[in-house]
Structure formats: C-alpha cells, structure tokens
C-alpha cells in the first residue's frame, strides 16, 4: 500500500507540476450521497469532499480529492484520491467528462459488541460528470462514479461547487 501511495503522489506531482504555468485551477466542495453496492449491505452515506483541480491541457484536468462520509449504522468512510478528467466542451459553459482515479479509503466500523475496526483499502474511481460555468469564477458539477474498495463497492453521486482562478 505504501508503494501505491508513493506512486500516486509522484504521478500527481509530475502531472500538476509539469504544466503549472498554464491552465486553470479551481478549489471546491462536493456534497455526496453514496449508496453501498455490496450484497447484504444497506448503507447510504452522506458526505463532503474537498477538491483541488488543475487543467493540465485544455482537455485534460487533474484533481486531488479528500472526502469524509458521516457515520451511519456504525460505519464512516474517509477517502483520498487523485482523479483525471478528459473534458469534452459542449458550448462555452458546459463540459462533460469521464472520471478515472486511484486512491485510498479507510472504512471505520464502530460496533458495540466487537469494538472499533479501521480497514484501509485501495480505491478505484470510474465514472462520468458534467460541469456548467455559472459565472466567470464559479462552476457547478454533477458526478456519478463507481468507487471500488474491496468488500465495499459504492456509487457516489456528487453535487459540486468550485471557485476557478
């Protein structure tokens, strides 16, 4: 797991550092609803995620995201990921994009009879999103992705807001 995190950090550093003099950056917040897809598990989490985005080229955007899904039925989830978006422009203000990302997830289970358990897991994001530019510096996005973590696959649906600079 340590090797994976070091490789992900290196890829993010190279991707974001190589073209830092050009492109647009953004910071934002996503509001998430994340149903669990594992059989026999009925968990629907609500959470928040902070994000930093940088346009490496006009069409390729990198994103670093960290999120927390609030405790429900004794389970809470922390995620951190590096995502890539390939932007398809549909007019001046609207973009569609596929999402691919790698990261780390920590599932915290707090059970009265068994105590507390933290499980770190490899995370894979695959999905799609859309973004609309609301004003010169503000955008809103909607994303749907499959988030794979061993024995804890989820389908986060995110409504996001970003300040672009």
């Amino acid at each position: 797991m340590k090797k994976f995190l070091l490789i992900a950090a290196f890829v993010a550093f190279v991707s974001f550092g190589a073209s830092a003099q050009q492109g647009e950056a953004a910071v934002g917040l996503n509001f998430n609803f994340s149903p669990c897809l594992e059989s026999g598990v009925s968990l629907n989490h609500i959470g928040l995620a902070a994000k930093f985005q940088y346009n490496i080229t006009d069409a390729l955007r990198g994103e670093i995201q960290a999120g927390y899904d609030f405790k429900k039925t004794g389970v809470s989830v922390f995620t951190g990921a590096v995502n890539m978006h390939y932007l398809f422009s549909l007019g001046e203000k609207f973009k569609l994009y596929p999402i691919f990302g790698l990261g780390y997830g920590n599932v915290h289970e707090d059970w009265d009879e068994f105590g507390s358990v933290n499980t770190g897991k490899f995370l894979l994001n695959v999905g799609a999103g859309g973004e609309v530019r609301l004003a010169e510096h503000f955008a809103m996005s909607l994303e749907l992705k499959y988030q794979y973590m061993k024995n804890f696959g989820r389908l986060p649906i995110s409504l996001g807001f970003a300040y672009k600079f």
Side-chain angles (χ1 to χ4, degrees):
M1 180 55 76
K2 288 181 183 179
K3 282 185 180 180
F4 168 75
L5 291 175
L6 286 172
I7 291 169
F10 176 75
V11 169
F13 177 77
V14 169
S15 298
F16 291 107
S19 302
Q21 65 273 16
Q22 66 179 345
E24 183 176 61
V27 293
L29 192 63
N30 284 359
F31 300 93
N32 304 320
F33 174 72
S34 304
C36 187
L37 301 176
E38 299 299 321
S39 61
V41 177
S42 179
L43 284 175
N44 297 316
H45 283 106
I46 303 281
L48 294 173
K51 62 186 175 183
F52 172 78
Q53 300 173 328
Y54 184 79
N55 284 27
I56 298 163
T57 67
D58 287 343
L60 189 62
R61 177 169 66 195
E63 175 183 71
I64 297 174
Q65 190 176 64
Y68 180 75
D69 288 0
F70 301 104
K71 187 183 287 189
K72 180 169 185 187
T73 321
V75 178
S76 61
V77 182
F78 167 79
T79 58
V82 175
N83 297 314
M84 298 303 289
H85 303 161
Y86 189 84
L87 305 170
F88 294 96
S89 290
L90 301 175
E92 257 183 58
K93 296 186 178 203
F94 189 68
K95 297 184 185 322
L96 290 177
Y97 51 91
I99 300 166
F100 178 78
L102 300 172
Y104 173 79
N106 184 287
V107 179
H108 177 82
E109 300 173 79
D110 195 9
W111 308 111
D112 292 334
E113 60 273 3
F114 302 113
S116 191
V117 178
N118 277 314
T119 309
K121 300 171 185 262
F122 164 79
L123 178 144
L124 172 70
N125 286 326
V126 177
E131 178 181 282
V132 63
R133 192 86 172 224
L134 301 175
E136 182 181 352
H137 295 289
F138 293 99
M140 182 174 72
S141 62
L142 183 63
E143 296 180 349
L144 174 67
K145 60 189 169 198
Y146 173 67
Q147 190 171 71
Y148 170 80
M149 290 186 281
K150 186 176 181 181
N151 300 324
F152 202 77
R154 312 178 327 142
L155 192 65
I157 303 163
S158 303
L159 177 64
F161 297 92
Y163 174 77
K164 297 186 174 278
F165 53 95

